[in-house]
């Protein structure tokens, strides 16, 4: 039987509506949440992502500010910019769009962001809060994955979860969230032996690898929930045919654009999985929705003393 498609666009729009209503309440209380996005230089992909983030703020009612220092900026100057944002009360969230130019020490910059404003959840203080189950800011994509599971009524507690990928931004934090949700979690990577065999144990399989269609049906236990985090652009005809042979709709858009977006999971997996996130339209939309949610959370946590009711709700 074909898998249930977990519609990320629908779930993201539910979250955005909830966040917008919260923003309205906060703004009426004189505490409009604010997000600063730092976009260094002119990386085309980063420009698209940042445009999406700023647009989403506008739709939801969050104040946003885009800072665009030049490609040539030094680590010191960027540090100064981040420190200024740290001090500004109306800025609740600071997002430094990655990647940064090679002369900039990215780790130093990410470490300089006030953990209370770290809406990406990458600061070691927030990583520590997540692993010790204290309130903090959780990376957006992993938080979005847990929302997909929760809002689709897919149980996590007691389930076997396998995460393929151990990056700091996806693999590790999603594994930690699944552990915190009482799943039994295995984290796999490029040195894992018998990857298909390990993956077949999963009731919940999360693929965060960055390899187009690598997870084929041999990796999946029938009926499992499959979360496909991958976003890979396929431009080669042979690769396209391996993934989408016979798919007329994809064929049409591939011909028109010369490329197509595919996850880390082969489309054939939807024939045996119980539920699956599509690419596009699965995990992707949740990332921005959770950024909005994190900005509101950061505002409530940081300005909590001035908003006792909101702070109590958060606790
Ligand atoms: P990453 O930092 O490159 O990490 C990839 C992970 O996959 C690594 O842990 C690597 O293992 C593992 N891996 C690579 N090849 C493997 C193989 N053949 N077998 C087993 N494991 C393998 O990537 P990332 O930043 O986590 O992103 C992963 C994917 O998610 C990418 O496609 C990215 O574009 C996408 N993504 C999507 C969103 C979204 O909003 N939807 C957000 C973030 C990322 P080692 O550690 O051993 O090298």
């Amino acid at each position: 039987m074909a898998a249930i498609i977990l519609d990320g666009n629908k779930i993201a729009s539910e979250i955005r509506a909830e966040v917008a209503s919260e923003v309205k309440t906060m703004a009426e209380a004189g505490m409009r949440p604010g997000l600063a996005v730092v976009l260094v230089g002119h990386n085309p992909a980063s420009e698209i992502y940042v445009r999406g983030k700023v647009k989403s703020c506008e739709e939801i009612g969050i104040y946003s500010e885009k800072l665009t220092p030049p490609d040539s900026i030094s680590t010191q100057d960027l540090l100064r910019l981040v420190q200024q944002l740290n001090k500004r009360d109306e800025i609740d969230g600071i997002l430094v769009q990655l990647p940064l130019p090679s002369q900039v020490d990215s780790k130093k910059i990410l470490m300089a962001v006030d953990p209370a404003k770290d809406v990406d959840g990458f600061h070691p203080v927030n990583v520590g809060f997540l692993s010790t189950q204290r309130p903090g800011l959780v990376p957006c994509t992993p938080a979005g994955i847990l929302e997909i599971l929760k809002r689709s009524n897919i149980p996590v507690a007691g389930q076997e979860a396998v995460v393929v990928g151990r990056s700091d931004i996806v693999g590790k934090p999603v594994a930690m969230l699944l552990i915190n949700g009482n799943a039994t979690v295995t984290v796999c990577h490029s040195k894992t032996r018998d990857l298909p065999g390990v993956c077949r144990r999963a009731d919940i399989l999360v693929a965060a690898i960055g390899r187009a269609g690598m997870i084929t049906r041999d990796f999946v236990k029938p009926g499992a929930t499959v979360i496909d985090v991958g976003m890979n652009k396929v431009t080669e005809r042979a690769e396209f045919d391996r993934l989408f042979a016979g798919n007329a709709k994809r064929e049409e858009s591939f011909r028109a654009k010369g490329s197509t977006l595919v996850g880390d999971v082969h489309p054939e997996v939807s024939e045996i999985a119980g539920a699956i996130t599509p690419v596009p339209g699965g995990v992707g939309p949740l990332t921005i929705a959770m950024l909005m949610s994190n900005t509101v959370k950061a505002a409530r946590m940081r300005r909590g003393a001035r908003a006792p009711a909101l702070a109590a709700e958060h606790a």
Side-chain angles (χ1 to χ4, degrees):
M1 214 173 76
I4 293 166
I5 303 298
L6 304 171
D7 184 346
N9 284 316
K10 184 165 161 277
I11 296 170
S13 76
E14 280 169 24
I15 293 171
R16 280 203 308 271
E18 290 163 15
V19 175
S21 125
E22 217 172 326
V23 169
K24 191 164 173 276
T25 310
M26 292 176 82
E28 281 164 4
M31 289 198 321
R32 185 182 180 199
L35 175 69
V37 184
V38 181
L39 171 65
V40 179
H42 295 284
N43 178 320
S46 296
E47 281 176 342
I48 294 172
Y49 295 144
V50 166
R51 210 175 304 142
K53 289 168 186 177
V54 170
K55 184 166 164 260
S56 189
C57 285
E58 281 163 9
E59 287 164 2
I60 281 174
I62 291 176
Y63 167 75
S64 72
E65 204 170 289
K66 189 170 93 174
L67 298 104
T68 53
D71 237 330
S72 56
I73 194 163
S74 65
T75 302
Q76 278 312 317
D77 286 346
L78 196 51
L79 277 176
R80 253 190 297 278
L81 187 90
V82 168
Q83 279 150 6
Q84 282 161 7
L85 293 170
N86 282 343
K87 284 191 201 129
R88 285 177 52 195
D89 195 41
E90 75 280 22
I91 298 298
D92 298 290
I94 302 170
L95 185 147
V96 182
Q97 186 66 43
L98 300 177
L100 292 170
S102 54
Q103 80 278 7
V104 174
D105 184 339
S106 303
K107 284 208 167 134
K108 244 187 188 166
I109 301 298
L110 296 183
M111 284 283 282
V113 174
D114 179 348
K117 297 188 177 189
D118 168 39
V119 282
D120 258 337
F122 295 160
H123 194 287
V125 165
N126 282 315
V127 176
F129 284 156
L130 176 60
S131 77
T132 52
Q133 290 187 265
R134 291 186 169 89
L137 295 165
V138 177
C140 300
T141 304
I145 292 170
L146 268 287
E147 286 294 329
I148 292 177
L149 296 172
K150 192 170 104 190
R151 289 171 190 252
S152 309
N153 297 316
I154 292 166
V156 171
Q159 302 296 294
E160 286 277 349
V162 174
V163 178
V164 190
R166 55 175 164 179
S167 71
D168 292 342
I169 62 166
V170 188
K172 281 184 208 160
V174 83
M176 196 52 77
L177 285 167
L178 289 163
I179 291 173
N180 292 349
N182 296 319
T184 302
V185 182
T186 306
V187 180
C188 303
H189 44 76
S190 63
K191 309 288 185 293
T192 299
R193 273 187 285 132
D194 184 23
L195 187 63
V198 178
C199 290
R200 274 197 304 272
R201 296 207 303 253
D203 302 308
I204 299 170
L205 177 62
V206 180
I209 312 162
R211 289 183 185 249
M214 193 188 106
I215 302 294
T216 54
R217 59 189 308 148
D218 329 336
F219 289 65
V220 180
K221 175 164 83 176
T225 296
V226 179
I227 305 289
D228 189 355
V229 189
M231 286 208 295
N232 313 288
K233 195 171 166 183
V234 169
T235 53
E236 297 287 320
R237 182 77 227 186
E239 182 72 334
F240 178 86
D241 287 344
R242 179 180 77 84
L243 296 161
F244 296 110
N247 183 331
K249 214 169 136 199
R250 284 276 186 163
E251 176 72 45
E252 200 185 309
S253 81
F254 183 69
R255 273 173 196 264
K257 289 195 278 184
S259 68
T260 195
L261 193 67
V262 64
D264 292 337
V265 177
H266 195 294
E268 69 183 14
V269 168
S270 65
E271 291 161 23
I272 63 157
I276 191 164
T277 58
V279 176
V283 174
L286 268 296
T287 301
I288 294 190
M290 295 316 290
L291 173 67
M292 301 297 109
S293 168
N294 265 357
T295 304
V296 170
K297 189 176 175 187
R300 283 194 304 174
M301 288 169 79
R302 199 177 55 85
R303 307 199 214 183
R306 277 165 284 155
L310 292 168
E313 192 191 317
H314 172 74

